[in-house]
Amino acid sequence: MKKVGIIGVGEYLPKHVLTNADLEKLVETSDEWIKTRTGISQRRLADKAEATSDLAVNAAREALADAKIKPEDLELIIVATITPDMPFPSVATIVQNTLGAKKAAAFDISAACAGFVYAISIARQFIVAGAYKNALVIGAETLSRVTDWQDRGTCVLFGDGAGAAVLTEVSRGGIMSTYLGCDGTHMGLLNLPGGGSRNPTTHQTVDNKMHFIKMQGNELFKIAVRRMAEAAEIVLRQANVELSDVKLIIPHQANTRIIMAVAKKIGLTEDRIYMNIAKYGNMSSASTAVAMVEAVKEGKVEKGDIILLDAFGAGLVWGACLIEWSK
Ligand code: ACO
């Protein structure tokens, strides 16, 4: 089988920082509650003029420069997002046009917080099959646009951002195994009920705040721990790799307590877990992407290191990806 690796990474975080102290002025909460229950200190919010595709393009440009690939040589663009600029066309088509990636096929996928792991897995299949030589995978979100800023149960959690990776065939290392899971029976635990074909936008859906994220956090918490641990164990088993061989686990950044519980379940020490949740909160599909990019930029991942991406989100969906870094 062809080896497919990541040869360039990029990220974009909007400039505006919203701190826990700022949130104390909006809802009945405290910096102490948010930090101890979630691990989050601040998050970034997109500027009024910025849409998801703008964040995605900025991350993409950095990743393409890092990979030394020109937009016109790109063959595939996949954007993982649950906050597209508009229902259609896809964010990926807007990115394709803005980058000038004239040759590239482009589409979005919706897999919530597991979106980046799902998209990496899909891109890899296209390259392995010989359909495309390279692919740009982006996780990009503007969750601030679908957050109810009066709901303290959700507004303290989310942020905006984008992370990107360029994939191509490599001679050594690359993606060792991937695993994707889904259990649609729990779709009611986390969703955005308004604005789609089930509940098209009306004055009533807006009055009922159906255009905002609805979440039953504590139910999700337990399932997230179980499924993320399971996904990590499956990709390791599939690739015949021991946990002790993994340099760094880069999990979805939803909650420090979820991450620590997963680590405990699989027997991992804190020094091998990458976390940047304190700075950015939960950016859904962008979280795992940005965490991977920052781990690389900080020199925590080098050529030959094995890393494990592990994510969980609305659907419910989850997935993991084991990679031997090849750049
Ligand atoms: N400030 C102060 N108090 C709060 C806040 C807040 N911001 N939010 C909730 N509380 C209160 C609740 O009202 C409740 O009070 P009560 O006991 O008087 O009723 C108490 O704190 C405990 O609330 P819980 O919801 O049980 O708190 P929990 O410890 O479960 O933490 C959290 C909530 C942080 C949301 C956690 O459940 C979580 O992280 N869940 C998982 C989220 C997740 O993984 N989502 C999937 C990915 S996201 C995606 O796909 C887009």
Side-chain angles (χ1 to χ4, degrees), residues 29 33 37-38 113 152 156 190 217-218 254-255 257-258 282 313-314:
T29 191
W33 191 96
R37 305 308 292 168
T38 73
C113 304
R152 69 174 183 174
V156 302
L190 177 56
N218 44 16
N255 188 317
R257 291 185 297 130
I258 293 180
N282 180 350

Side-chain angles (χ1 to χ4, degrees), residues 66-243:
D66 189 36
K68 299 190 176 56
I69 288 198
K70 295 194 205 92
E72 53 270 32
D73 294 329
L74 260 183
E75 299 192 357
L76 176 66
I77 300 171
I78 307 176
V79 177
T81 188
I82 51 167
T83 47
D85 293 26
M86 54 190 88
F88 67 88
S90 66
V91 173
T93 59
I94 302 167
V95 171
Q96 191 252 23
N97 179 47
T98 312
L99 289 176
K102 290 192 165 44
K103 236 173 42 183
F107 60 89
D108 287 0
I109 65 139
S110 172
C113 304
F116 188 67
V117 170
Y118 262 68
I120 291 270
S121 178
I122 296 166
R124 178 201 189 202
Q125 305 306 326
F126 275 111
I127 298 170
V128 166
Y132 301 115
K133 285 195 182 61
N134 59 42
L136 171 66
V137 172
I138 307 168
E141 305 285 2
T142 47
L143 293 177
S144 63
R145 304 280 152 78
V146 292
T147 297
D148 179 355
W149 292 101
Q150 292 175 332
D151 173 18
R152 69 174 183 174
T154 53
C155 76
V156 302
L157 304 173
F158 302 117
D160 303 336
V166 178
L167 279 70
T168 187
E169 195 178 341
V170 292
S171 52
R172 293 196 60 182
I175 298 167
M176 305 169 83
S177 68
T178 63
Y179 167 72
L180 307 176
C182 172
D183 180 358
T185 59
H186 295 298
M187 62 87 68
L189 294 181
L190 177 56
N191 56 36
L192 193 156
S197 59
R198 179 73 59 197
N199 300 296
T201 308
T202 60
H203 286 292
Q204 200 184 359
T205 63
V206 174
D207 289 345
N208 292 339
K209 297 186 165 197
M210 290 166 79
H211 53 299
F212 292 136
I213 296 171
K214 310 287 175 208
M215 183 171 93
Q216 291 175 43
N218 44 16
E219 283 302 309
L220 280 171
F221 194 103
K222 289 171 244 164
I223 308 172
V225 173
R226 182 157 58 86
R227 293 304 193 178
M228 286 174 74
E230 182 187 283
E233 282 162 357
I234 290 174
V235 285
L236 288 168
R237 199 162 58 239
Q238 281 176 174
N240 207 10
V241 167
E242 296 295 324
L243 185 63

Side-chain angles (χ1 to χ4, degrees), residues 38-40 113-114 143 157-159 228 249-259 273-292 294-295 308-312:
T38 73
I40 302 166
C113 304
L143 293 177
L157 304 173
F158 302 117
M228 286 174 74
I249 290 216
I250 303 174
H252 172 52
Q253 314 278 314
N255 188 317
T256 306
R257 291 185 297 130
I258 293 180
I259 296 172
I273 307 165
Y274 188 81
M275 277 194 271
N276 60 5
I277 185 170
K279 288 194 286 181
Y280 304 130
N282 180 350
M283 301 182 287
S284 193
S285 70
S287 269
T288 322
V290 167
M292 183 186 78
E294 297 205 339
L308 200 162
L309 309 182
D310 196 0
F312 173 89

